[in-house]
């Protein structure tokens, strides 16, 4: 289908890009990889008067790793993550999740910033940033600010980003050596969006129990979420078969999934429990 008509700009500075977005009063949209926005244009779900291409903005495609953690520039593509051998150690949960994102061609174009801004509740990256307590750095006409991931997503395809704000960086806290983790996803085909997925990790206390447990779920609500009741089952406990079974049951009890053409609410509720169970089995192994 042909796209609706729009103006196009390709600024070379962040300030210029913000000015262009601000001047169009919500009628302009940033474009990064175009892998979500272009289908939205084709289906007339969005029809901005101006597209502001972010590809020439300097410094947004860097992956930085230091003692504070991993910082992904907003224009980092899925392929960049999978090609960066450092990340397997610096953030193995991120790498495990990105392996499920889309298909070869889309991974060459799609960006982490675009995924976060698009806020699909079944997408992997929004789930990872929420599960990992990441921070989203953004810049708009009012200046720069940092948004905790758990305050960023408002609902399906809706975030707290102002129309003139551009995501510049995603900051994932440092990943200690020895941390246990698992990522499990069920999709109709490899590379499709998740019907349900789970991202879990925990550290271990001196008695061998789980500590700092984080349990994130994807595809079972209007936004990704951490499940405090499940984390409470894990914290302080040895993660054995009994605890994993209780965590899986607590997961199914804690979610209110939607029903759609792919799955009923009851199926998703059961499935996400299984995803958490498998992720914990992988973490404990
Ligand atoms: C067939 C198909 C299968 C897919 N499967 C999956 C999947 O399994 N999992 C998954 O997670 N994704 C999937 N995707 C989506 C893909 O990962 C997209 O690349 C991603 O969601 C959006 O990234 P993008 O760079 O292409 O953003 P774009 O399409 O360019 O933009 C998306 C939205 O984000 C905004 N935006 C982009 N960058 C910024 C920024 N820096 N600051 C502020 N706003 C910004 C745009 O204005 C737009 O509203 C799939 C896409 C297709 C077409």
């Amino acid at each position: 289908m042909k796209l609706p008509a729009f103006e196009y700009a390709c600024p070379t500075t962040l300030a210029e890009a913000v000015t262009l977005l601000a001047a169009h009063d919500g009628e302009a949209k940033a474009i990064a990889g175009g892998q979500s926005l272009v289908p939205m244009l084709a289906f007339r779900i969005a029809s901005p008067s101006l597209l502001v291409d972010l590809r020439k903005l300097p410094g947004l495609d860097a992956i930085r790793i230091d003692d504070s953690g991993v910082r992904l520039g907003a224009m980092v593509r899925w392929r960049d993550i999978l090609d960066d051998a450092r990340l397997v150690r610096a953030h193995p949960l991120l790498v495990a999740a990105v392996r499920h994102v889309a298909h070869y061609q889309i991974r060459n174009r799609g960006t982490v910033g675009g995924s976060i801004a698009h806020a699909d509740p079944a997408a992997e990256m929004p789930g990872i940033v929420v599960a990992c307590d990441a921070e989203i750095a953004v810049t708009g006409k009012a200046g720069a600010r940092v948004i905790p991931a758990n305050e960023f997503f408002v609902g399906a395809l809706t975030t707290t980003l102002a129309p003139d704000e551009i995501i510049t960086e995603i900051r994932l806290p440092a990943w200690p050596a020895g941390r246990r983790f698992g990522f499990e996803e069920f999709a109709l085909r490899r590379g499709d969006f998740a019907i349900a997925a789970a991202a879990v990790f925990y550290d271990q206390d001196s008695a061998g129990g789980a500590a700092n447990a984080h349990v994130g779920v994807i595809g079972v609500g209007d936004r990704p979420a951490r499940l405090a009741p499940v984390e409470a089952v894990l914290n302080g406990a040895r993660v054995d078969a009994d605890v994993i079974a209780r965590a899986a049951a607590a997961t199914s009890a804690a979610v209110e999934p939607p029903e759609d053409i792919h799955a009923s609410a009851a199926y998703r509720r059961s499935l996400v429990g299984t995803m958490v169970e498998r992720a914990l089995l992988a973490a404990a192994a």
Side-chain angles (χ1 to χ4, degrees):
M1 191 189 279
K2 282 188 179 171
L3 303 186
F6 51 80
E7 299 292 318
Y8 173 83
C10 194
T12 52
T13 67
L14 185 58
E16 197 189 338
V18 166
T19 302
L20 282 165
L21 289 174
H24 283 74
D25 207 19
E27 291 297 313
K29 270 195 127 14
I31 182 161
Q35 299 302 296
S36 294
L37 184 54
V38 171
M40 301 254 296
L41 297 177
F43 286 116
R44 303 296 192 272
I45 295 167
S47 46
S49 59
L50 171 72
L51 288 190
V52 179
D53 196 333
L54 306 182
R55 71 191 160 90
K56 289 189 180 166
L57 301 189
L60 294 194
D61 58 355
I63 300 177
R64 299 186 178 88
I65 301 171
D66 59 25
D67 291 346
S68 68
V70 173
R71 287 180 292 151
L72 302 171
M75 292 296 282
V76 166
R77 298 171 196 273
W78 307 124
R79 173 53 51 201
D80 301 328
I81 291 173
L82 296 175
D83 282 349
D84 192 326
R86 301 172 304 162
L87 286 172
V88 174
R89 182 164 298 187
H91 214 294
L93 181 60
L94 169 71
V95 176
V98 171
R99 288 195 182 118
H100 290 265
V101 175
H103 312 280
Y104 182 84
Q105 293 85 345
I106 296 158
R107 288 201 295 267
N108 286 340
R109 305 281 312 173
T111 67
V112 291
S115 176
I116 301 293
H118 186 58
D120 190 311
E124 290 82 1
M125 193 67 197
I128 288 298
V129 296
V130 168
C132 295
D133 300 328
E135 293 177 329
I136 322 288
V138 309
T139 297
K141 70 177 178 201
R145 64 182 178 127
V146 175
I147 310 169
N150 67 357
E151 295 172 14
F152 186 80
F153 301 100
V154 176
L157 310 188
T158 315
T159 72
T160 52
L161 266 187
D164 58 77
E165 282 183 319
I166 293 173
I167 299 171
T168 53
E169 190 172 76
I170 292 148
R171 299 172 183 164
L172 293 154
W175 185 271
R179 175 169 279 176
R180 302 279 179 154
F181 74 97
F183 184 89
E184 290 290 330
E185 173 170 324
F186 184 82
L188 291 180
R189 295 167 304 185
R190 181 87 183 188
D192 281 4
F193 283 100
I195 303 286
V200 308
F201 68 84
Y202 57 87
D203 301 318
Q204 284 179 297
D205 61 26
S206 52
N212 188 33
H214 283 53
V215 176
V217 289
I218 296 165
V220 288
D222 67 353
R223 71 199 96 162
R226 268 181 69 185
L227 301 181
V230 186
E231 294 169 357
V233 170
L234 298 170
N235 280 325
R238 279 183 178 273
V239 182
D240 58 16
D242 174 55
V243 166
I244 291 174
R246 284 199 287 123
T251 300
S252 295
V255 297
E256 286 295 338
E259 179 149 333
D260 62 20
I261 54 165
H262 299 302
S264 68
Y267 177 72
R268 273 206 168 88
R269 185 177 296 113
S270 169
L271 182 64
V272 74
T274 303
M275 293 299 101
V276 166
E277 179 184 6
R278 289 182 186 171
L280 285 170
L281 284 168

